[in-house]
Amino acid sequence: MNCKDFDLLASANIDNMLSNEERMEFENHLEICETCNIAYKNLETIISSASEIEEVELPSKFSSELRSRLEKETKVNKTFSSKMKTWTSIAAGLLIILASISLLSNYLELKKKPNLISEIENSSNYEGNDTYGITMDKNQESLDAESIDEDEANLKESYTSNQEQKKEINMASMTKRSIDEEVAIAPDEEVPPQSNNKLKSNLLKISISALLLAILVFINKTKTKRGYFKHIK
Amino acid sequence: MGNLSVQEASLIEQSKSGNIESFEQLVISHQKKMFNIAFRMLGNLEDANDVTQEALIKAYRGINSFNGKSSFSTWLYTIVNNASIDFIRKNKKNKTVYLDREYESAEGTHKIEVACHGDTPEEVLEKKEVRRVIEEAIKELSEDHRRIIVLRDIEQFTYAEIAQILDCSEGTVKSRINRARKILKVIIMEKLKN
């Protein structure tokens, strides 16, 4: 071992971080090299002086200051969460109103076309009495049953989720019901197969609205519980 | 969360749901050490108080992100350590030139080697004299060297704990400690000469 190696190991030896072999070589060098011996003793003196530096006490008002800052922090969180709640409720309401308007306007458009409806009345494909609405896929041959089932499932899922969140947004289920009513107006009216696309698009709109509502409620619930979202790569 | 006691785990859960008392109980035995780390890093009590308070608020806000990979105390010391470094960097009004910087240049490294292994043997340092200047000497270290000295030599953290706090390997810690101590020694010797 030379003086340079010794210099590299001196600090680790003070902290007992050398292997037995390294330590033996180190100690042998220490015995034969006076310069390194003094350098090592000086390093020891410095490290032991540093360890004897006295701890300072916490300021007397430390705990009370911390308490008031923590309370302020919790208050800010609550205010933020209640503001979030209000805004998500408003946003959810607007979404549902938009979806309802769009649905209603499409329905009124259909009503303006009596010729189209009479054609359907004569159509052999028309079976008549079944309830038309969200479960209408039964009497619409050309309707993509699978897609509607999917939409229906989405709706049911979102609806269940809405019910669970009743406390946060009571409005959700109420508005949801109004959509159902609007959709339920349709059974007496005959719907042409050509309008299936419009119907599907309406159902899709409802599904998206309900999904968005569920997401908003989820975000709101997470904030209330002081939860957070994490992006996992 | 193998690093946590049952009581600690339960206090962490309560703190997560916004219970201030649980959080206070959780940090009470660590806040003095946090304050001392900040004080040795910043050099004055007022700044140390601000930074420690801020670090505790950060810990409260971010308690959901505590994953139990390290002990809870190590997590707190990491936060206060980083907060101290941020504070120093943010408040550098005039670009401070630390005395140890000059030893980091190619010429400076040579200077350290000469100082430690010159032809003339080192003078034996008197402990009493070292004690007198060591606190001032630590303040003259760059923040990176200072935090190593504070964590290892003043606060007595193990190499493994320092590796967690600084998010590096134990091997890196070993070489950083070696380097920081060498520079501290040069500063102390310079101070005692003058």
Side-chain angles (χ1 to χ4, degrees):
Chain A
M1 180 182 278
N2 58 33
C3 294
K4 206 173 175 183
D5 293 334
F6 178 87
D7 189 42
L8 287 171
L9 300 177
S11 169
N13 189 56
I14 291 174
D15 294 331
N16 290 320
M17 296 297 285
L18 295 187
S19 66
N20 286 341
E21 199 185 327
E22 280 175 322
R23 200 175 60 243
M24 281 192 33
E25 276 188 53
F26 183 86
E27 281 167 3
N28 287 339
H29 182 78
L30 205 61
E31 278 175 22
I32 56 166
C33 179
E34 201 190 340
T35 310
C36 285
N37 202 316
I38 294 172
Y40 186 69
K41 278 182 181 158
N42 283 345
L43 190 62
E44 276 185 319
T45 305
I46 289 168
I47 293 170
S48 93
S49 301
S51 69
E52 288 162 13
I53 290 177
E54 281 183 18
E55 266 197 328
V56 290
E57 290 300 318
L58 282 169
S60 55
K61 288 181 180 170
F62 188 88
S63 295
S64 57
E65 196 182 330
L66 180 66
R67 166 56 74 104
S68 72
R69 289 183 73 162
L70 286 170
E71 278 170 355
K72 205 172 155 190
E73 183 66 24
T74 314
K75 218 175 180 180
V76 170
N77 261 345
K78 276 184 183 163
T79 318
F80 175 76
S81 140
S82 84
K83 274 185 186 168
M84 271 290 289
K85 214 169 169 178
T86 315
W87 282 108
T88 41
S89 307
I90 292 169
L94 281 173
L95 269 170
I96 290 176
I97 289 165
L98 276 173
S100 312
I101 290 170
S102 142
L103 187 76
L104 199 66
S105 67
N106 281 328
Y107 164 70
L108 291 172
E109 215 171 286
L110 272 177
K111 256 192 137 180
K112 284 177 190 166
K113 295 174 182 170
N115 293 342
L116 200 65
I117 292 171
S118 63
E119 265 177 45
I120 305 305
E121 274 175 344
N122 300 328
S123 161
S124 58
N125 286 340
Y126 178 60
E127 287 172 28
N129 298 326
D130 287 27
T131 310
Y132 163 61
I134 291 172
T135 53
M136 61 162 291
D137 52 322
K138 280 181 190 170
N139 55 357
Q140 299 296 323
E141 277 180 15
S142 57
L143 199 66
D144 184 353
E146 206 179 302
S147 149
I148 292 291
D149 281 348
E150 211 173 284
D151 287 340
E152 192 184 349
N154 280 343
L155 261 178
K156 277 180 183 167
E157 198 180 297
S158 308
Y159 187 66
T160 318
S161 150
N162 291 345
Q163 291 288 54
E164 283 167 8
Q165 308 296 339
K166 256 183 183 171
K167 281 183 188 169
E168 276 79 18
I169 305 176
N170 288 329
M171 210 176 122
S173 55
M174 283 169 61
T175 326
K176 191 81 198 54
R177 231 174 283 133
S178 76
I179 291 183
D180 290 343
E181 276 163 24
E182 281 164 22
V183 178
I185 298 170
D188 298 328
E189 302 297 328
E190 298 75 10
V191 181
Q194 289 92 330
S195 69
N196 284 344
N197 284 341
K198 266 184 184 171
L199 233 127
K200 278 167 78 179
S201 118
N202 285 339
L203 284 168
L204 197 66
K205 277 176 192 166
I206 301 171
S207 303
I208 291 168
S209 307
L211 181 68
L212 284 171
L213 173 67
I215 291 169
L216 285 168
V217 169
F218 177 67
I219 292 169
N220 194 28
K221 186 82 182 166
T222 311
K223 293 282 175 193
T224 317
K225 296 270 178 196
R226 299 180 71 243
Y228 69 103
F229 298 96
K230 193 174 177 182
H231 174 67
I232 298 167
K233 283 177 189 176
Chain B
M1 297 225 177
N3 291 306
L4 302 177
S5 69
V6 178
Q7 194 202 6
E8 223 173 12
S10 135
L11 287 172
I12 289 170
E13 281 312 307
Q14 286 161 25
S15 305
K16 280 181 182 175
S17 36
N19 188 325
I20 293 177
E21 286 82 6
S22 298
F23 183 77
E24 285 173 332
Q25 218 179 316
L26 197 56
V27 299
I28 197 154
S29 55
H30 310 300
Q31 54 197 28
K32 189 174 175 187
K33 197 160 185 164
M34 289 175 79
F35 181 71
N36 272 272
I37 292 173
F39 175 62
R40 293 297 162 197
M41 286 301 294
L42 306 170
N44 80 75
L45 295 167
E46 204 181 315
D47 290 344
N49 183 47
D50 287 348
V51 166
T52 312
Q53 295 272 352
E54 195 51 47
L56 285 165
I57 296 296
K58 270 185 195 164
Y60 180 68
R61 273 186 214 144
I63 198 156
N64 280 311
S65 66
F66 173 67
N67 54 19
K69 277 184 189 165
S70 67
S71 68
F72 186 73
S73 60
T74 305
W75 186 67
L76 289 177
Y77 302 140
T78 307
I79 296 174
V80 77
N81 196 268
N82 292 337
S84 302
I85 294 284
D86 288 346
F87 185 90
I88 293 169
R89 290 180 183 160
K90 218 157 96 186
N91 290 281
K92 265 184 193 169
K93 285 170 193 158
N94 305 310
K95 210 177 176 187
T96 318
V97 179
Y98 292 105
L99 283 184
D100 66 348
R101 288 277 159 84
E102 60 189 270
Y103 301 110
E104 283 177 36
S105 63
E107 204 187 334
T109 309
H110 178 67
K111 199 173 169 184
I112 291 170
E113 282 170 13
V114 170
C116 300
H117 292 278
D119 295 331
T120 49
E122 277 187 19
E123 283 177 36
V124 176
L125 295 173
E126 291 295 325
K127 196 163 183 184
K128 202 178 158 189
E129 291 294 292
V130 174
R131 274 187 190 157
R132 186 171 59 82
V133 296
I134 194 164
E135 290 190 37
E136 281 307 307
I138 289 169
K139 283 183 192 168
E140 287 175 19
L141 287 168
S142 69
E143 58 256 30
D144 284 332
H145 289 136
R146 201 184 318 154
R147 73 166 156 183
I148 281 284
I149 297 295
V150 169
L151 293 174
R152 177 63 205 150
D153 294 329
I154 302 182
E155 298 300 334
Q156 311 281 309
F157 284 102
T158 64
Y159 280 45
E161 286 168 330
I162 297 171
Q164 282 188 328
I165 293 172
L166 302 184
D167 194 21
C168 63
S169 70
E170 279 190 47
T172 307
V173 170
K174 200 168 167 179
S175 62
R176 282 197 198 174
I177 291 175
N178 189 39
R179 185 158 184 79
R181 282 173 174 169
K182 235 189 240 183
I183 291 163
L184 179 64
K185 185 170 149 187
V186 174
I187 295 174
I188 288 173
M189 291 177 103
E190 290 289 322
K191 278 189 168 291
L192 291 177
K193 260 185 211 167
N194 300 329

